Amino acid sequence: MGGHHTIDIRLQPAHAGWRLDRALAAAVPTMSRERLKALVRSGALSGGAIRDPASKVRGDEVFSLTVPEPEPAHNEAQDIPLRVTFEDEHLLVVDKPAGLVVHPAAGNRDGTLVNALLHHCGGSLSGIGGVARPGIVHRIDKDTSGLLVVAKTDVAHEGLARQFAAHSIDRRYLAIVNGVPRAKDGTIDAPLARSSADRKKIAIVADGRGKRAVTHWTRLSLLRNAALVECRLETGRTHQVRVHMASIGHPLLGDPVYGRAGKDHRKILNDLQFSRQALHAAELGFIHPVTKRKLSFSSPMPSDMQELFKALGV
């Protein structure tokens, strides 16, 4: 009890003029801005020399952040079946089914991927994410299926987080969208932030207000007033694919938040009892943070999306 570890942080010139907590969150993507803010106020940054998270930075500072070891997780280990695509002593890649929440939060205190991982790994998960999110380096929405990588050790967690921050992780999603995009491919470069009108939604915002978000999409198959699209994520923001594709007039079929099905599609969705966004994290590639091997994984489209794809066939 009472242990801690230290993270060395070097800010970049691009951070000049930013609030301290925002710059730290950009430099340490494994930790939330709120947690970093609390740590700064507690004197954990450079021996307590700075305690105001709102202070502005020059962009050339070097800090040391003392992070207390996480408290024992209150999350219960639960024997929930997991489809493990890859595993070693440092990390594992999981193929998540639609409907499974990634980490505990209000309304979902158990029955999550974290609960399943605690059982599968016997408690051996990176603690950097904090008590509620052990091992979680990135996440996908509850009703999105597919691949995500989980860290067992802090070294793996930090190494993976650096790759996510550098946008060097290869993430490709399959999506079935409403309507047929005229172009064969395209890039959507539009910043995202919480909607000021509805805090449960994400919206495209003016430059400087949100986080940069970039999606490269390619039309794979033509369907009946729909299309199968591959989306390659350059960044990984909350609801990114869903909001970006909706912004160009092609929301994901089945999306209850950002899409609205027409009469024909609505009948097919109802007949198939397809009640989620048609989105699957199909490919994941990264450099192993410890062995430095290049790893690449793929997951076939799940059966519910395959049925939808067939039903929409021309």
Side-chain angles (χ1 to χ4, degrees), residues 6-281:
T6 302
I7 300 175
D8 293 322
I9 303 170
R10 183 181 296 275
L11 298 187
Q12 303 299 319
H15 299 146
W18 288 19
R19 279 177 55 117
L20 174 62
D21 54 355
R22 181 186 173 203
L24 292 175
V28 191
T30 54
M31 299 176 69
S32 72
R33 186 165 169 179
E34 287 304 312
R35 187 168 184 230
L36 287 163
K37 196 182 293 187
L39 286 170
V40 171
R41 286 178 177 147
S42 73
L45 192 68
S46 296
I50 306 170
R51 291 176 180 259
D52 181 6
S55 61
K56 297 294 191 287
V57 301
R58 298 187 309 272
D60 60 356
E61 294 94 335
V62 177
F63 298 117
S64 62
L65 180 69
T66 302
V67 182
E69 294 299 339
E71 302 167 21
H74 301 301
N75 300 316
E76 227 180 284
Q78 295 176 316
D79 189 4
I80 300 168
L82 279 179
R83 187 181 301 162
V84 177
T85 302
F86 172 85
E87 182 172 14
D88 65 11
E89 65 268 37
H90 307 289
L91 56 86
L92 67 160
V93 175
V94 177
D95 197 341
K96 186 187 86 67
L100 182 64
V101 175
V102 170
H103 56 72
N108 292 104
R109 291 298 179 190
D110 60 7
T112 71
L113 178 64
V114 162
N115 298 111
L117 289 166
L118 287 170
H119 180 272
H120 177 83
C121 299
S124 174
L125 290 171
S126 164
I128 291 177
V131 171
R133 308 183 184 188
I136 301 302
V137 188
H138 67 124
R139 67 182 185 87
I140 53 181
D141 295 336
K142 172 188 174 182
D143 289 325
T144 298
S145 55
L147 300 168
L148 75 164
V149 59
V150 176
K152 288 182 169 184
T153 64
D154 289 356
V155 170
H157 201 141
E158 290 173 350
L160 288 166
R162 281 194 294 271
Q163 292 181 59
F164 276 101
H167 310 310
S168 61
I169 303 273
D170 184 22
R171 282 174 291 174
R172 297 171 191 260
Y173 285 69
L174 292 175
I176 300 176
V177 302
N178 187 22
V180 178
R182 291 184 181 179
K184 290 183 179 179
D185 53 39
T187 294
I188 305 165
D189 186 343
L192 300 175
R194 288 277 167 197
S195 167
S196 54
D198 183 348
R199 298 296 293 170
K200 293 181 179 179
K201 295 177 73 172
I202 303 296
I204 291 175
V205 295
D207 284 340
R209 199 168 85 71
K211 292 183 177 180
R212 187 173 184 232
V214 182
T215 304
H216 305 281
W217 61 269
T218 303
R219 194 183 68 203
L220 298 180
S221 301
L222 302 180
L223 304 170
R224 270 187 290 152
N225 193 29
L228 177 66
V229 171
E230 179 190 81
C231 294
R232 180 171 65 82
L233 271 59
E234 187 173 317
T235 58
R237 310 304 181 197
T238 300
H239 297 181
Q240 179 174 315
V241 172
R242 299 166 64 187
V243 176
H244 272 179
M245 293 309 297
S247 76
I248 62 169
H250 299 289
L252 275 56
L253 283 184
D255 193 326
V257 179
Y258 304 105
R260 183 177 295 176
K263 185 177 178 181
D264 291 344
H265 287 162
R266 191 157 56 242
K267 183 178 186 313
I268 292 172
L269 292 169
N270 288 339
D271 288 348
L272 295 175
Q273 296 185 317
F274 192 95
S275 56
R276 69 175 182 103
Q277 61 268 10
L279 186 62
H280 178 65

